[in-house]
Amino acid sequence: MQSFFSDIEPIRFSANTDNALHYRYYDPTRKILGKTMEEHLRIGVCFWHTFCWSGSDIFGESTFTHPWHHTTTDPMQQATLRAAAAFEFVEKLGLKYYTFHDRDVAPDGRNLRETQDNLSRIVDLMAGHMQRTGAKLLWGTANLTHHKRYMAGAATNPNPEIFSHAVAQVKHCLDMTQKLQGENYVLWGGREGYDTLLNTDLSKEMDQMGRFLTMLVDYKHKIGFKGTLLIEPKPCEPSKHQYDFDTATVFAFLQKYGLEKEFRVNIEANHATLAGHSFAHEVAYAFAANVFGSIDANQGDPQLGWDTDQFPTRLDEIAQVMYLILQHGGFTTGGFNLDTKLRRQSTEISDLFYGHISGIDGLARGLIIAAQILEKGVLQKFTEQRYQQWQTPYGKDILAGKMDFEKIAAHVLQHDKEPQLTSGRQEMLETMFGRELV
Ligand code: XUL
Ligand code: CO
């Protein structure tokens, strides 16, 4: 079999190394709080940015000349080579997982039947690669943004025939994900939103999306797909406004259509910051609403207002998220999918390795730091203490519904004393957290 990365040795862990082609922190077998790093992190490589993107942007042409695209012009041949490259890459990085969109792995045909045949053929090849390398599918998803038919949305399109096309595409993609034993299935609605309210009936579009997702759930149960259905929130880009704006919006939507037990969220760091939140906020909210599923790991550039999908290296951000994940017992079917891409000037194959190693080490280091913070227990104790008064009989009665406005008002008037103020100790806690980052 053709090798695409023969110049690069398999990436291994080497403590205190200065070699940027080694992991300095990611040691898959190292045990942390009873689980290996590999089990905690469940890191995946994405097909789209890593193997499909050519380095083009809206102002300029492709800059990459990856051999899986440049040794042939036949799209199915390219797809075959791309799959071989992808599994070789995942294996070289010593990872277990990958993720894909249907259109990343196989090209569109002349009609839907041919498109589906293309995908089925490549999926058979992928199954072989998975068997050979031991790689597993974290999740699959359908690309409902690229084709022009979806310019006004897929499930939220004003035309029911386009809605139906999306149904057929998602049905087949879920079938393929099941065939590859995918552990989750993702929906990200880049065009499920609007460009202008002047031509949009928001309420109709929401109902359409509710119907689409309800039918998807029915189909999932019918075929016995074991994975978790995940919605990936994003506020905008490519649409001006997307209906899955953030986790809270997704949760409200799911509740409206009675779907909150059927879906969880796939939180992407850069989408969180585009929505004006922190990455940690989205994760904390998802746990609070009991819809935490998986993570698209990356980071944005604070100076740029778009989704730059850079490799996650900002330790304070990662450690805080890891801390939340550890506190809540870790992933179930989810993991850290590296939804990350190179900068356009990083044109060499080795750059793909440098990028992924930096992101994987970022996640590993965040995990080590978060475990230390958790073991010391200072933050957790402080937070517990902060709510201690709710544990008194009086506090418990309020939450148990045994009190009402009149009784509570009477209680206050009976004593009529200003409650004591307690310091939130933010600076002290920031010191304790920051000390673990060095
Ligand atoms: C787009 C994005 C997608 C999803 C999957 O911003 O993050 O690649 O992760 O469709
Ligand atoms: Co993503």
Side-chain angles (χ1 to χ4, degrees):
M1 187 180 301
Q2 184 177 352
S3 167
F4 295 94
F5 308 115
S6 50
D7 293 347
I8 310 261
E9 293 287 310
I11 310 305
R12 58 187 176 82
F13 168 73
S14 164
N16 301 320
T17 184
D18 281 327
N19 185 338
L21 288 174
H22 289 167
Y23 296 124
R24 183 162 171 173
Y25 299 97
Y26 182 64
D27 176 2
T29 58
R30 172 168 166 192
K31 282 233 166 152
I32 292 185
L33 303 174
K35 280 202 285 193
T36 64
M37 273 196 170
E38 184 175 67
E39 288 163 344
H40 273 292
L41 296 172
R42 298 165 57 80
I43 298 174
V45 172
C46 80
F47 249 86
W48 52 102
H49 290 316
T50 305
F51 307 109
C52 303
W53 187 51
S54 64
S56 63
D57 67 15
I58 48 169
F59 298 101
E61 62 182 345
S62 303
T63 57
F64 303 163
T65 51
H66 297 324
W68 49 93
H69 287 157
H70 286 264
T71 49
T72 169
T73 52
D74 174 58
M76 277 301 273
Q77 270 301 321
Q78 288 177 333
T80 303
L81 296 178
R82 199 157 59 228
F87 287 96
E88 185 187 351
F89 186 73
V90 172
E91 196 178 22
K92 274 246 146 116
L93 287 175
L95 297 179
K96 280 275 175 300
Y97 286 102
Y98 74 97
T99 55
F100 75 98
H101 297 81
D102 48 3
R103 288 297 81 75
D104 303 335
V105 297
D108 265 318
R110 281 164 302 182
N111 50 41
L112 184 64
R113 198 171 295 280
E114 197 177 290
T115 301
Q116 294 192 345
D117 284 351
N118 287 349
L119 181 58
S120 300
R121 277 165 56 200
I122 299 293
V123 161
D124 285 344
L125 277 179
M126 288 161 68
H129 285 301
M130 286 168 73
Q131 194 137 48
R132 182 176 51 78
T133 61
K136 298 199 266 185
L137 176 58
L138 186 62
W139 49 262
T141 188
N143 182 332
L144 301 173
T145 52
H146 184 78
H147 197 286
K148 66 181 175 200
R149 83 171 73 86
Y150 297 127
M151 67 179 188
T156 59
N157 200 288
N159 180 348
E161 288 302 331
I162 294 175
F163 174 101
S164 306
H165 224 94
V167 167
Q169 190 180 336
V170 169
K171 177 187 171 295
H172 188 245
C173 191
L174 183 65
D175 290 342
M176 295 299 103
T177 302
Q178 184 180 35
K179 194 165 183 187
L180 297 171
Q181 295 175 327
E183 299 186 22
N184 306 271
Y185 182 84
V186 164
L187 293 119
W188 167 66
R191 301 213 188 268
E192 311 293 23
Y194 57 79
D195 293 333
T196 171
L197 279 173
L198 296 177
N199 65 13
T200 302
D201 186 331
L202 219 143
S203 144
K204 272 202 170 63
E205 296 202 359
M206 301 261 287
D207 285 351
Q208 287 173 217
M209 198 153 97
R211 200 76 294 280
F212 186 95
L213 296 180
T214 304
M215 290 193 292
L216 172 63
V217 167
D218 291 344
Y219 183 66
K220 168 200 157 155
H221 291 307
K222 183 165 181 209
I223 62 172
F225 177 69
K226 297 270 182 309
T228 310
L229 296 176
L230 300 171
I231 294 182
E232 183 174 322
K234 189 177 183 185
C236 54
E237 197 199 286
S239 300
K240 170 195 165 82
H241 180 102
Q242 281 161 218
Y243 297 135
D244 298 332
F245 194 93
D246 59 4
T247 302
T249 312
V250 168
F251 185 52
F253 176 89
L254 291 173
Q255 289 184 101
K256 179 171 184 204
Y257 295 97
L259 295 168
E260 71 276 14
K261 300 265 182 310
E262 298 285 355
F263 287 87
R264 290 171 171 260
V265 286
N266 181 39
I267 294 170
E268 179 161 328
N270 206 162
H271 296 181
T273 49
L274 281 181
H277 300 305
S278 66
F279 182 16
H281 165 87
E282 284 291 86
V283 173
Y285 192 95
F287 277 119
N290 207 14
V291 291
F292 177 79
S294 199
I295 299 266
D296 269 10
N298 59 22
Q299 66 187 27
D301 184 312
Q303 269 171 267
L304 301 176
W306 65 89
D307 196 8
T308 61
D309 290 326
Q310 287 164 249
F311 289 89
T313 54
R314 282 201 289 271
L315 283 185
D316 55 345
E317 193 172 89
I318 305 167
Q320 218 185 329
V321 162
M322 287 289 174
Y323 177 68
L324 287 164
I325 294 176
L326 289 178
Q327 268 187 311
H328 290 87
F331 288 114
T332 49
T333 60
F336 280 102
N337 169 48
L338 285 163
D339 193 348
T340 42
K341 67 172 188 251
L342 293 176
R343 297 309 88 194
R344 189 166 178 261
Q345 296 178 54
S346 303
T347 52
E348 290 178 24
I349 287 281
S350 58
D351 292 312
L352 279 174
F353 284 89
Y354 290 127
H356 283 77
I357 291 166
S358 80
I360 293 165
D361 257 355
L363 296 175
R365 203 169 172 198
L367 171 64
I368 296 166
I369 293 166
Q372 273 164 212
I373 295 173
L374 199 71
E375 277 187 316
K376 291 194 178 153
V378 178
L379 268 61
Q380 222 170 357
K381 256 185 233 130
F382 183 85
T383 308
E384 268 166 34
Q385 189 60 38
R386 194 155 173 255
Y387 296 88
Q388 201 54 44
Q389 289 191 63
W390 285 99
Q391 297 307 321
T392 60
Y394 178 71
K396 282 184 175 165
D397 278 355
I398 295 177
L399 294 180
K402 293 184 184 157
M403 303 288 275
D404 57 25
F405 257 39
E406 285 166 308
K407 283 186 196 154
I408 293 175
H411 159 91
V412 176
L413 288 173
Q414 194 189 342
H415 302 283
D416 215 358
K417 269 200 332 225
E418 232 353 273
Q420 231 188 332
L421 296 187
T422 321
S423 170
R425 292 262 189 276
Q426 180 168 336
E427 296 75 8
M428 183 272 277
L429 295 168
E430 282 168 352
T431 300
M432 302 307 278
F433 185 85
R435 280 181 185 166
E436 301 297 335
L437 296 178
V438 289

